[in-house]
Amino acid sequence: MYNLSCYNPSSFILAGIPGLEKFHIWIGIPFCVIYVLAVVGNGTLLYLIVIEDSLHEPMFFFLFMLATTDLILSTATVPKLLSNLWLGSQEITFTDCLTQVFFLHFSFVVDSAILLAMALDRYVAICFPLRYTTVLAPQVIIKLVVGIVVRSFLVILPDVFLLKRLPFCGKRIIPHTYCEHIGVAQLSSANISINIWYGFSVPVMTVASDVVFIAVSYVFILRAVFHLSSQGARQKALGTCGSHICVILMFYTPAAFSILAHRFGHSVPRNMLILFANLYVAIPPALNPIVYGVKTKKIQDKFILLFTLKKTQ
């Protein structure tokens, strides 16, 4: 029975943000506002893309996927964070913890793959405009989407089984506000070298390959743009990439900083690392719809039309 309870622990304790307990209520307020913005912004974006026929294009279909994944990412982490900070609800069941691990890492890998697909979309639109509808036909889009989901699922699912095989007979306190693969594995008294190797190398290499292909795509895009004879055409082409570039920077820059800080930032206080990790999963989902709403004229026009019609009714 002792060994069985080690391999099937009932729950863990999420410690929150150690050292900042007296500020938990105040810290929760901005995270609540950010989460509401993420839900409203992405929900509105999804609604517009579904109801507006003019937005039924490959770029907006990928944007639909990005908004859906952002909602999954923020919903998997922020509500539990708020219940921890405001209600002192620190306990999380083993099953819920594994579920959170899966959706946290799954949404991250899916987001990265979607950004690569959007880079491909911009590459075809700018470099081969006459063949755009042929190259990115509906059946091609479906294959891309299925490939993104299947790849991400197969890469992240082993994380769950690697955690389930570990015994947790000692510590049950996770010094964080949510469950993530390595943080949970470190509570085990068993050898976690496989978890460390897989948890860092496979997803990171997957995301790293996405970054390389995105960079290559933009090399070809920029080369094609600067070969355009018209200044107006160059500005228009770069304008269509502006929102995508902003989202790429918001997604990969904090991720790279977080990885480097955890690896080399031993002098950085633990509570600051936890705060940054929460900002990283909360802020991009809230900002992405705003960026696309400001930078993409079609979405901007439909958004204004939607709220104008509601006011006149």
Side-chain angles (χ1 to χ4, degrees):
M1 290 299 294
Y2 175 76
N3 289 334
L4 185 62
S5 66
C6 286
Y7 283 95
N8 296 277
S10 59
S11 63
F12 293 114
I13 300 297
L14 294 169
I17 308 175
L20 297 177
E21 288 82 2
K22 61 181 179 181
F23 301 110
H24 275 186
I25 292 176
W26 300 106
I27 292 171
I29 294 173
F31 279 105
C32 181
V33 172
I34 291 168
Y35 180 63
V36 170
L37 285 174
V39 172
V40 172
N42 286 291
T44 304
L45 200 56
L46 292 173
Y47 176 73
L48 288 175
I49 294 172
V50 168
I51 66 168
E52 293 294 338
D53 291 338
S54 62
L55 300 181
H56 293 174
E57 299 175 6
M59 182 182 77
F60 297 109
F61 187 80
F62 292 133
L63 184 54
F64 183 93
M65 280 192 67
L66 185 68
T68 303
T69 310
D70 281 345
L71 280 175
I72 293 172
L73 175 61
S74 55
T75 302
T77 53
V78 179
K80 184 59 183 175
L81 165 70
L82 294 177
S83 68
N84 189 318
L85 297 180
W86 285 349
L87 305 177
S89 177
Q90 295 181 315
E91 188 174 15
I92 184 170
T93 66
F94 184 59
T95 302
D96 288 346
C97 188
L98 293 182
T99 303
Q100 193 176 51
V101 167
F102 175 79
F103 281 108
L104 173 69
H105 297 296
F106 174 77
S107 56
F108 179 79
V109 176
V110 169
D111 263 353
S112 179
I114 293 170
L115 291 176
L116 173 58
M118 295 174 87
L120 173 66
D121 172 83
R122 293 300 84 203
Y123 166 71
V124 175
I126 291 173
C127 297
F128 305 99
L130 300 178
R131 297 172 57 191
Y132 180 75
T133 54
T134 305
V135 174
L136 293 178
Q139 59 269 28
V140 176
I141 300 297
I142 292 172
K143 289 178 181 177
L144 277 173
V145 170
V146 172
I148 287 171
V149 174
V150 170
R151 186 195 77 159
S152 304
F153 182 82
L154 293 178
V155 166
I156 299 303
L157 186 62
D159 285 352
V160 176
F161 292 102
L162 287 172
L163 288 175
K164 280 183 72 69
R165 75 182 180 87
L166 294 174
F168 297 92
C169 297
K171 295 185 296 182
R172 299 284 176 89
I173 299 175
I174 302 172
H176 213 304
T177 57
Y178 55 75
C179 296
E180 54 90 20
H181 179 203
I182 302 302
V184 176
Q186 287 174 340
L187 297 182
S188 175
S189 55
N191 187 336
I192 62 168
S193 56
I194 296 177
N195 295 73
I196 294 173
W197 178 85
Y198 191 88
F200 281 118
S201 64
V202 177
V204 167
M205 288 304 296
T206 306
V207 173
S209 65
D210 292 341
V211 173
V212 170
F213 285 121
I214 288 172
V216 170
S217 298
Y218 269 96
V219 168
F220 286 107
I221 288 170
L222 291 174
R223 190 175 69 174
V225 166
F226 289 113
H227 276 83
L228 294 173
S229 56
S230 167
Q231 177 74 17
R234 284 198 294 270
Q235 290 180 346
K236 184 178 179 181
L238 289 173
T240 63
C241 299
S243 53
H244 184 232
I245 293 172
C246 289
V247 171
I248 286 172
L249 292 175
M250 285 192 304
F251 180 78
Y252 288 114
T253 304
F257 179 82
S258 182
I259 291 170
L260 292 173
H262 278 86
R263 179 66 182 84
F264 302 106
H266 302 298
S267 60
V268 180
R270 178 70 184 175
N271 50 26
M272 291 298 104
L273 291 176
I274 294 172
L275 267 177
F276 186 82
N278 280 283
L279 289 172
Y280 170 63
V281 299
I283 288 181
L287 290 183
N288 287 347
I290 297 173
V291 169
Y292 275 101
V294 171
K295 291 279 188 179
T296 309
K297 193 173 187 306
K298 277 189 176 181
I299 293 177
Q300 194 179 96
D301 292 343
K302 297 301 179 185
F303 183 82
I304 293 170
L305 181 63
L306 174 67
F307 283 90
T308 303
L309 289 173
K310 284 189 175 182
K311 285 182 180 179
T312 57
Q313 287 176 353

